[in-house]
């Protein structure tokens, strides 16, 4: 076998070998770049085969036909390269690619329509010469002017490839630029070499066989290198993925170990809001299996009254990707509902991607119970306090109704006396009875008024105007103040505003402070007994009611203990009044403080948040 046959056969073999795996990949995975590469490589093999036939042709007809048929693989070679660049680079002007195909199709048509072929109008003979120890033939004759089409197609192709490569180069990373340089550069170079050589051979400037197959072998090698590089990289990525998957699995196992030994109940949810993990602590607590709890299964264990509220908090936080805290009752394995504090936080990946939520829960039943006890205690204190209020009300009531009842008795006595004397006129009797009726109405109004003040039995908060509550207080204590000879004065800001409060409880507090002041002032001279009640706003916009008496004030060192239950300096004192008042004001979100006034006497201040409605009206 000659060197020529050997070399060209080697090109054919190499191209076919490179084409086959890519043909397989292209067909099975439907990847266009592999398929187009295989077409281009097989086409180069075809071109090389055609060149062998040309070189070993014996007659002008044989060489003409060989050249004619070589244009078929050449067409597929160009189609393959254009398509490969288009798909692999993702760039390239489609219209340019179509123009090249149109020119090549036209060439194919001309090639077969006007024999011997598109390159020669007429082949007159063969020229033989020695090449690599073999005698090879080249055609001689009249070169066809259609060869200009071949030059045009080469020019268009170079333009297409350079344009596609430059666009790719500008768009990206070093990796992409290398691809543009290797594939784009080699295609441009070898097209120039192949076209130049063919032109030189046709013009008889050089004496050598067509080396189109050899030239395009370079292109195929460059394309094949890039594709193999991609496959290699994909394999590397897959390996890395396997390694990181392994690491992920390991860290997951570590997390599960930690979660399962943690003394808290842990759950996790995914981006679909559904729970996908519960730790051992949770499962032990509920006595249910993972399968039962997964998804929304956990909700079956939540106390029915708490569920809606629970889902609302979770749903709202989830949509806003915000942390949340909620309390609900969860059924324990022994069917007892326990109070749970659940703290949820969004889970994020290293690059900030939202993965769902993780929550940790603790059993706060004991704390809840203590809170409840405290509440009950406060209610009890309030009840005790109410008894004191009722006592004072009874005294006030007695005083207020004493007057009309006295008048009624007097009028009735007068009537009796007049009837006994027998000189009573019907008119006089009518007047007396009318007076009695009027006094009866007055007594009923007094009773009604005081009853209205304390009618609400349940703790209900409503808008309470400061000046109204002080007015009610005065109505209750007025009689007592007169008896105890206390001068009562009020300084109320007409825009004192309102508070959201339980009217009766607030009244109870103020009453308690007033009675304490009365008692404290009993040790001083009657004409010096003064109680000033002020109502208004402080600088922070809070509603303030203060009571300043002219009594002896607090003995030193007791201010800190004033509000402690059972603290009293009085022989008969219960020590509960201020403790109750303090707890009531605290429950209203306010403060109660006591101190000695600068000019003597005790001073108590109640601070309460201003009711919102009122604030909005003021604004
Ligand atoms: P009690 O009146 O049964 O003693 P309180 O809790 O109402 O219980 O009051 C606790 C103590 O606070 C009183 O014993 C008294 O020493 C002191 N105190 C309350 N108000 C005044 C006041 N206006 N002036 C002086 N001391 C007061």
């Amino acid at each position: 076998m000659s060197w020529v046959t050997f070399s060209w056969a080697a090109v054919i073999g190499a191209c076919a070998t490179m084409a086959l795996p890519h043909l397989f990949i292209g067909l099975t995975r439907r990847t266009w770049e592999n398929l187009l590469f295989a077409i281009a490589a097989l086409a180069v093999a075809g071109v090389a085969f055609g060149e062998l036939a040309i070189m070993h042709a014996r007659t002008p007809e044989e060489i003409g036909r060989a050249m004619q048929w070589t244009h078929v693989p050449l067409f597929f070679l160009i189609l393959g390269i254009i398509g490969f660049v288009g798909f692999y680079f993702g760039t390239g002007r489609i219209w340019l690619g179509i123009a090249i195909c149109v020119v090549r199709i036209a060439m194919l048509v001309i090639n077969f329509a006007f024999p011997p072929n598109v390159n020669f109008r007429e082949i007159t003979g063969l020229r033989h010469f020695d090449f690599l120890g073999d005698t090879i033939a080249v055609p001689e004759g009249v070169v066809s002017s259609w060869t200009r089409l071949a030059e045009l197609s080469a020019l268009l192709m170079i333009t297409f490839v350079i344009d596609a490569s430059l666009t790719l180069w500008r768009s990206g990373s070093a990796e992409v630029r290398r691809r543009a340089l290797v594939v784009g550069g080699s295609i441009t170079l070898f097209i120039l070499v192949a076209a130049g050589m063919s032109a030189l051979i046709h013009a008889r400037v050089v004496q050598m066989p067509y080396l189109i197959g050899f030239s395009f072998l370079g292109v195929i090698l460059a394309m094949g290198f890039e594709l193999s590089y991609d496959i290699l990289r994909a394999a590397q990525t897959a390996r890395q993925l396997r390694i990181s998957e392994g690491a992920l699995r390991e860290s997951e196992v570590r997390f599960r170990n930690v979660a399962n030994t943690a003394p808290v109940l842990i759950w996790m949810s995914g981006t679909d809001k559904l729970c996908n993990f519960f730790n051992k602590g949770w499962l032990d607590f509920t006595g249910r299996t993972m399968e039962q709890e997964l998804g929304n299964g956990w909700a079956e264990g939540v106390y029915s009254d708490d569920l809606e509220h629970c889902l609302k908090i979770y749903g709202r936080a989830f949509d806003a990707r915000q942390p949340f805290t909620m309390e609900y009752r969860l059924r324990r394995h022994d069917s007892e509902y326990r109070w749970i504090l659940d703290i949820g936080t969004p889970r994020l990946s290293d690059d900030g991607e939202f993965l769902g939520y993780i929550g940790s829960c603790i059993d706060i039943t004991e704390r809840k119970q203590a809170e409840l006890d405290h509440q009950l205690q406060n209610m009890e204190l309030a009840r005790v306090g109410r008894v004191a209020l009722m006592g004072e009300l009874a005294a006030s009531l007695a005083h207020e109704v004493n007057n009309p009842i006295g008048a009624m008795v007097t009028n009735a006595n007068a009537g009796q006396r007049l009837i006994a004397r027998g000189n009573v006129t019907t008119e006089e009797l009518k007047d007396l009875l009318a007076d009695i009726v009027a006094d009866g109405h007055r007594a009923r109004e007094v009773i009604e008024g005081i009853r209205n003040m304390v009618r609400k039995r349940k703790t209900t908060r409503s808008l309470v105007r400061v000046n109204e509550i002080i007015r009610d207080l005065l109505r209750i204590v007025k009689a007592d103040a007169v008896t105890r000879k206390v001068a009562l004065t009020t300084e109320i800001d007409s825009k004192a505003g309102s508070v959201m409060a339980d009217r009766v409880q607030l009244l109870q507090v103020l009453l308690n402070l007033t009675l304490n002041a009365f008692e404290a002032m009993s040790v001083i001279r009657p004409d010096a007994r003064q109680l000033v009640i002020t109502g208004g706003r402080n600088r922070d916009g809070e509603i303030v009611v203060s009571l300043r008496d002219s009594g002896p004030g607090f003995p030193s060192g007791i201010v800190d203990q004033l509000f402690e239950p059972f603290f009293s300096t009085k022989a008969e004192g219960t020590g509960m009044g201020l403790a109750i008042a303090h707890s009531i004001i605290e429950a209203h979100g306010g403060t109660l403080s006591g101190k000695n006034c600068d000019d003597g006497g005790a001073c108590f201040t109640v601070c309460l948040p201003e009711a919102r409605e009122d604030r909005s009206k003021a604004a």
Side-chain angles (χ1 to χ4, degrees):
M1 192 195 289
S2 72
W3 274 110
V4 169
T5 313
F6 175 76
S7 310
W8 262 255
V11 171
I12 295 168
C15 286
T17 315
M18 278 193 283
L20 288 178
H22 287 282
L23 186 68
F24 178 73
I25 295 172
L27 287 175
T28 51
R29 294 199 197 153
R30 302 193 186 285
T31 45
W32 279 103
E33 50 269 42
N34 291 93
L35 204 62
L36 289 160
F37 170 79
I39 290 173
L42 287 174
V44 171
V47 171
F49 185 78
E51 285 172 352
L52 257 185
I54 293 169
M55 284 187 282
H56 293 127
R58 278 165 305 209
T59 61
E61 288 73 33
E62 252 184 54
I63 206 162
R65 215 171 311 120
M67 283 178 78
Q68 198 180 38
W69 281 101
T70 306
H71 274 282
V72 177
L74 208 55
F75 169 76
F76 282 106
L77 173 60
I78 286 161
L79 196 73
I81 290 175
I82 298 287
F84 181 84
V85 169
F87 276 103
Y88 193 57
F89 284 11
T91 56
R93 288 169 211 272
I94 296 178
W95 65 266
L96 212 52
I98 293 173
I100 297 165
C101 293
V102 169
V103 173
R104 291 308 306 193
I105 289 170
M107 279 178 72
L108 263 189
V109 172
I110 293 163
N111 184 48
F112 285 101
F114 302 102
N117 55 55
V118 74
N119 302 97
F120 282 92
R121 203 165 57 205
E122 190 189 350
I123 296 176
T124 48
L126 298 179
R127 190 155 43 88
H128 288 97
F129 59 89
D130 286 340
F131 186 75
L132 296 176
D134 201 355
T135 305
I136 61 160
V138 288
E140 274 205 318
V142 187
V143 174
S144 162
S145 49
W146 291 119
T147 44
R148 296 263 169 253
L149 280 180
E151 283 154 23
L152 176 67
S153 90
L155 194 72
L156 288 176
M157 233 177 120
I158 288 172
T159 314
F160 174 82
V161 173
I162 290 178
D163 171 63
S165 307
L166 280 179
T167 317
L168 186 67
W169 177 277
R170 279 192 220 109
S171 77
S173 58
E175 180 68 37
V176 162
R177 290 185 167 194
R178 190 184 47 75
R179 177 182 297 179
L181 194 68
V182 172
V183 179
S186 63
I187 293 175
T188 312
L189 178 72
F190 290 116
I191 290 174
L192 280 174
V193 170
M197 257 183 350
S198 303
L200 291 176
I201 292 167
H202 291 158
R204 289 208 224 152
V205 179
V206 292
Q207 188 157 281
M208 60 189 298
Y210 291 108
L211 291 177
I212 296 172
F214 266 98
S215 309
F216 278 94
L217 178 65
V219 175
I220 295 300
L221 284 175
M223 284 160 62
F225 168 77
E226 275 304 312
L227 278 185
S228 314
Y229 191 78
D230 282 354
I231 293 172
L232 205 74
R233 218 179 28 213
Q236 251 170 11
T237 315
R239 204 170 45 244
Q240 267 165 7
L241 212 65
R242 266 202 308 280
I243 292 170
S244 58
E245 260 175 9
L248 202 69
R249 257 200 304 278
E250 202 180 297
S251 79
E252 207 175 293
V253 169
R254 251 202 317 268
F255 166 75
R256 273 170 202 271
N257 282 342
V258 172
N260 283 335
T261 49
V264 287
L265 282 59
I266 296 176
W267 57 265
M268 277 205 297
S269 64
T271 50
D272 54 0
K273 279 194 189 161
L274 298 177
C275 285
N276 52 25
F277 172 78
F278 291 91
N279 75 335
K280 189 171 174 305
W282 179 289
L283 299 177
D284 287 351
F285 181 91
T286 57
R288 284 158 58 96
T289 63
M290 182 76 93
E291 287 67 37
Q292 284 174 311
E293 297 294 66
L294 285 180
N296 272 333
W298 60 275
E300 288 165 18
V302 176
Y303 191 66
S304 54
D305 285 0
D306 303 341
L307 187 59
E308 198 188 319
H309 171 68
C310 216
L311 293 176
K312 206 186 278 174
I313 293 183
Y314 174 58
R316 261 201 223 134
F318 194 99
D319 295 338
R321 308 285 190 255
Q322 287 292 318
F324 67 84
T325 304
M326 59 186 181
E327 291 178 8
Y328 53 90
R329 278 160 288 183
L330 185 67
R331 197 172 50 225
R332 206 167 54 179
H333 54 85
D334 55 3
S335 297
E336 188 191 324
Y337 280 97
R338 306 284 294 177
W339 276 103
I340 297 292
L341 171 70
D342 194 333
I343 300 168
T345 353
R347 286 190 297 130
L348 301 176
S349 70
D350 288 345
D351 41 16
E353 191 196 346
F354 173 69
L355 304 173
Y357 268 70
I358 181 162
S360 57
C361 317
I362 48 168
D363 186 338
I364 52 158
T365 312
E366 267 76 43
R367 198 193 79 191
K368 273 275 180 193
Q369 193 57 49
E371 272 174 20
L372 202 70
D373 290 349
H374 185 66
Q375 227 173 355
L376 285 174
Q377 224 168 31
N378 278 349
M379 275 164 67
E380 185 55 23
L381 283 179
R383 201 188 61 75
V384 173
R386 201 138 37 226
V387 174
L389 174 67
M390 291 301 166
E392 188 63 19
L393 276 177
S396 165
L397 194 66
H399 182 270
E400 295 273 316
V401 293
N402 210 14
N403 205 334
I405 290 174
M408 282 158 76
V409 171
T410 312
N411 280 330
N413 278 340
Q416 276 176 335
R417 272 199 308 276
L418 287 174
I419 291 167
R421 273 191 230 138
N423 60 352
V424 63
T425 65
T426 327
E427 276 312 301
E428 277 173 331
L429 262 182
K430 252 196 202 162
D431 285 349
L432 277 175
L433 288 173
D435 282 350
I436 291 171
V437 170
D439 285 331
H441 281 306
R442 197 148 61 88
R444 199 181 61 197
E445 275 162 21
V446 171
I447 295 167
E448 273 293 302
I450 290 178
R451 214 178 59 177
N452 280 345
M453 261 191 262
V454 289
R455 190 147 50 188
K456 278 186 223 146
R457 314 226 103 224
K458 273 170 118 189
T459 310
T460 347
R461 293 197 182 169
S462 59
L463 212 61
V464 178
R465 295 203 159 276
V466 173
N467 41 21
E468 279 175 15
I469 195 89
I470 296 179
R471 201 187 56 216
D472 286 349
L473 172 75
L474 292 181
R475 200 184 302 168
I476 299 172
V477 297
K478 210 168 57 195
D480 216 0
V482 173
T483 320
R484 293 171 185 259
K485 299 194 168 51
V486 175
L488 253 180
T489 38
T490 51
E491 296 167 7
I492 305 171
D493 181 350
S494 58
K495 293 186 200 124
S498 311
V499 291
M500 226 15 181
D502 181 299
R503 189 182 198 84
V504 176
Q505 286 189 348
L506 199 56
L507 203 55
Q508 188 182 320
V509 170
L510 298 178
L511 185 65
N512 197 281
L513 298 175
T514 310
L515 294 183
N516 270 350
F518 285 179
E519 277 177 34
M521 288 187 288
S522 62
V523 295
I524 63 165
R525 269 190 0 253
D527 60 336
R529 294 173 195 163
Q530 270 191 359
L531 176 64
V532 184
I533 303 175
T534 51
R537 279 199 188 90
N538 67 8
R539 261 173 296 168
D540 299 331
E542 286 172 320
I543 301 294
V544 180
V545 178
S546 60
L547 294 93
R548 207 171 62 237
D549 66 47
S550 57
F554 312 115
S556 62
I558 72 156
V559 176
D560 292 345
Q561 305 166 59
L562 280 180
F563 303 105
E564 282 174 15
F566 308 114
F567 172 79
S568 177
T569 55
K570 301 170 195 164
E572 302 286 303
T574 59
M576 291 307 291
L578 287 181
I580 294 166
H582 193 262
S583 80
I584 289 175
I585 296 299
E586 223 177 32
H588 281 75
T591 54
L592 171 62
S593 57
K595 61 174 188 170
N596 278 322
C597 312
D598 295 338
D599 49 355
C603 184
F604 282 93
T605 310
V606 177
C607 277
L608 284 167
E610 188 178 7
R612 243 180 252 144
E613 288 90 327
D614 206 65
R615 217 181 297 158
S616 65
K617 241 187 275 164

